[in-house]
C-alpha cells in the first residue's frame, strides 16, 4: 500500500529522537510498535484526526492534526486527491466495543433509520449515504427498477404485499445473474448502482419478507458483500485513473478552485465509504437480531464536517473543506467529535456516534 509523504517527522519519533520515515497514516516505526502515529499540523488547528488516541491523549495533544487533508491534498503520484488515496479505503478490522447498555433490540433502531433514509431517497433523490449528485450524469437502469420497486413497496396496500415480494425476489435474482460481469475496477458508479439496487432488495427481503424471501436474501448477502469489498478495494486506482483522464492535477489553481471533476470524484469516494458502512451495519444488525450475536465487520473513514455532504456546488464544497478541517475519521475513533459543537457534525456522523456510544451520551452532547 502506498503512503503519503508528509515531509516531517511524527510526534512520537520526534520526542524519542528517532529517525522517522515521514509517511502517513502511520510511519514504519509506529506501525511496527502498534502505536498511534500523529503528525504535527502545519498550522494551528482546533481539531485532530487520528486512528487511535484516547480521550486523555486527545486533550493533551489537541493542537495536533492527523493527516490533515489540507496538508495532504495530493500523494506523491501528484495526481491523486487525499480522498482517493489507497489509505482512505482501507478497512480497519479492529474489534469495536458495544455501546453502553446495549441490547439486541437496539439493532432494530439501526434498521429503522436505514429504512427511513431509503424512503428519503425515494422522495428527494438523495440521503445520508447516496449523494444527490452521484447519479446526476445518468441513472442506471438497474437502479431505476430498484427505485421504482421501493417506491411501490413503501406505498403498497396489504393485498399487494405478496405480489410485491415476488417481484422483489425476481428482480434481485435477475440482478445477481449480471454481477459476475461487473468490473468494479473500471466503473465505480456502475458498481455502486448495482450495489445500491441489490441493497434495496435486501432490505425488503431480510426485514419484511416471508420465509422464502428471507432465505433468498440470505443467499444473496455474500454476493453483495463481495461486490462491495471489491469495489472498495479497487476504488483508489479507478478514481485516480478517472481524475487523470479528466485532467485533475495538483497545481495551485486546481487546489484553490477545484473543478467539477474533483468534487464529483469526492462524491463517488464518500458515497462508496458511507454505503460500505451502512451495508456492513445492516448485515451485523440482521445477524444480531437473528442469532443474538454478530461479527465485527470492520470500519472505514468518512468525512463528518457539516456542510460538505450538503454542498450544492464545487465552489461551496471547496470553501468548506479549504477553510475548515473535514474531520475525516472512522467510527472506532469518532469519540473526538464529542469535543466539537453538534451543529458542526453532519447527520451521518451523528447517527454513527449514537450507534457506537449510545443514545444517552449523544443526547447529552
Amino acid at each position: 500500500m502506498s503512503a503519503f509523504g508528509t515531509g516531517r517527522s511524527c510526534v512520537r519519533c520526534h520526542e524519542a529522537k528517532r529517525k522517522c520515515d515521514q509517511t502517513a497514516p502511520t510511519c514504519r516505526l509506529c506501525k511496527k510498535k502498534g502505536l498511534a502515529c500523529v503528525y504535527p499540523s502545519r498550522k494551528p488547528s482546533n481539531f485532530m484526526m487520528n486512528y487511535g488516541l484516547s480521550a486523555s491523549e486527545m486533550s493533551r495533544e489537541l493542537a495536533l492534526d492527523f493527516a490533515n487533508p489540507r496538508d495532504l491534498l495530493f500523494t506523491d503520484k501528484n495526481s491523486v486527491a487525499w480522498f482517493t488515496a489507497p489509505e482512505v479505503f482501507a478497512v480497519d478490522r479492529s474489534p469495536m466495543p458495544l455501546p453502553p447498555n446495549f441490547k439486541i433490540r437496539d439493532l432494530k433502531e439501526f434498521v429503522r433509520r436505514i429504512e427511513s433514509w431509503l424512503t428519503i431517497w425515494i422522495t428527494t433523490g438523495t440521503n445520508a449515504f447516496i449523494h444527490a449528485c452521484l447519479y446526476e450524469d445518468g441513472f442506471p437502469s438497474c437502479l431505476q427498477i430498484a427505485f421504482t420497486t421501493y417506491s411501490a413497496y413503501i406505498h403498497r396496500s396489504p393485498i399487494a404485499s405478496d405480489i410485491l415480494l415476488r417481484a422483489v425476489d425476481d428482480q434481485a435474482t435477475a440482478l445477481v445473474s449480471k454481477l459476475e460481469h461487473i468490473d468494479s475496477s473500471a466503473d465505480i458508479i456502475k458498481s455502486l448502482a448495482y450495489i445500491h439496487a441489490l441493497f434495496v432488495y435486501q432490505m425488503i427481503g431480510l426485514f419484511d419478507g416471508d420465509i422464502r424471501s428471507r432465505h433468498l436474501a440470505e443467499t444473496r448477502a455474500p454476493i453483495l458483500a463481495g461486490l462491495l469489498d471489491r469495489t472498495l478495494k479497487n476504488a483508489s486506482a479507478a478514481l485516480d485513473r478517472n481524475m487523470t483522464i479528466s485532467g485533475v492535477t495538483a497545481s495551485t489553481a486546481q487546489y484553490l478552485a477545484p473543478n467539477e471533476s474533483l468534487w464529483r470524484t469526492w462524491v463517488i469516494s464518500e458515497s462508496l465509504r458511507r454505503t460500505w458502512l451502512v451495508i456492513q451495519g445492516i448485515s451485523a444488525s440482521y445477524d444480531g437480531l437473528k442469532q443474538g450475536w454478530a461479527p465485527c465487520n470492520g470500519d472505514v473513514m468518512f468525512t463528518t464536517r457539516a456542510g460538505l455532504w450538503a454542498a450544492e456546488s464545487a465552489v461551496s464544497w471547496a470553501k468548506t473543506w479549504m477553510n475548515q478541517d473535514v474531520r475525516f475519521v472512522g467510527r472506532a475513533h469518532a469519540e473526538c467529535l464529542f469535543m466539537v459543537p453538534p451543529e458542526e457534525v453532519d447527520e451521518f456522523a451523528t447517527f454513527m456516534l449514537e450507534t457506537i456510544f449510545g443514545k444517552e451520551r449523544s443526547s447529552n452532547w
Side-chain angles (χ1 to χ4, degrees), residues 134-202:
L134 180 60
Y135 299 113
E136 190 172 70
D137 293 334
F139 201 37
S141 58
C142 66
L143 197 54
Q144 291 178 25
I145 297 171
F147 185 94
T148 304
T149 301
Y150 202 82
S151 179
Y153 167 73
I154 61 179
H155 296 103
R156 70 194 183 282
S157 63
I159 195 171
S161 292
D162 289 343
I163 297 175
L164 185 59
L165 285 176
R166 294 298 175 265
V168 167
D169 293 339
D170 290 346
Q171 290 298 334
T173 300
L175 188 65
V176 166
S177 68
K178 300 176 182 179
L179 295 186
E180 62 183 29
H181 304 296
I182 300 300
D183 183 1
S184 58
S185 64
D187 191 338
I188 290 186
I189 294 182
K190 184 176 181 180
S191 295
L192 269 172
Y194 275 88
I195 288 168
H196 287 145
L198 187 52
F199 180 59
V200 165
Y201 301 139
Q202 288 296 93

Side-chain angles (χ1 to χ4, degrees), residues 15-159:
E15 292 179 348
K17 294 182 171 57
R18 66 192 185 197
K19 184 175 177 58
C20 180
D21 64 3
Q22 301 180 354
T23 58
T26 305
C27 76
R28 181 178 59 82
L29 290 174
C30 285
K31 184 176 181 179
K32 182 178 179 180
K33 294 178 179 292
L35 300 172
C37 187
V38 181
Y39 285 91
S41 176
R42 295 186 189 276
K43 59 183 180 179
S45 171
N46 64 353
F47 190 79
M48 172 180 44
M49 286 171 277
N50 65 87
Y51 279 105
L53 292 182
S54 65
S56 60
E57 288 176 312
M58 285 191 285
S59 61
R60 186 173 67 253
E61 300 184 79
L62 185 58
L64 303 176
D65 265 355
F66 176 78
N68 192 326
R70 291 179 307 196
D71 294 339
L72 303 171
L73 177 61
F74 294 94
T75 68
D76 53 5
K77 288 194 290 185
N78 214 37
S79 63
V80 185
W82 62 268
F83 47 79
T84 67
E87 290 79 3
V88 303
F89 295 102
V91 178
D92 181 359
R93 301 292 182 182
S94 304
M96 294 181 63
L98 292 173
N101 303 315
F102 172 79
K103 297 178 179 61
I104 287 294
R105 64 174 178 268
D106 293 341
L107 297 174
K108 293 180 180 180
E109 291 293 329
F110 187 93
V111 175
R112 280 194 285 267
R113 178 61 68 91
I114 304 307
E115 288 175 336
S116 72
W117 281 348
L118 286 177
T119 300
I120 290 171
W121 175 58
I122 293 300
T123 55
T124 67
T126 183
N127 61 24
F129 65 94
I130 303 176
H131 196 278
C133 296
L134 180 60
Y135 299 113
E136 190 172 70
D137 293 334
F139 201 37
S141 58
C142 66
L143 197 54
Q144 291 178 25
I145 297 171
F147 185 94
T148 304
T149 301
Y150 202 82
S151 179
Y153 167 73
I154 61 179
H155 296 103
R156 70 194 183 282
S157 63
I159 195 171

Side-chain angles (χ1 to χ4, degrees), residues 111 115 202-209 214 282 285-286 289:
V111 175
E115 288 175 336
Q202 288 296 93
M203 288 297 294
I204 298 173
L206 290 174
F207 299 105
D208 200 32
R214 285 198 300 273
I282 284 295
S285 296
Y286 180 77
L289 290 168

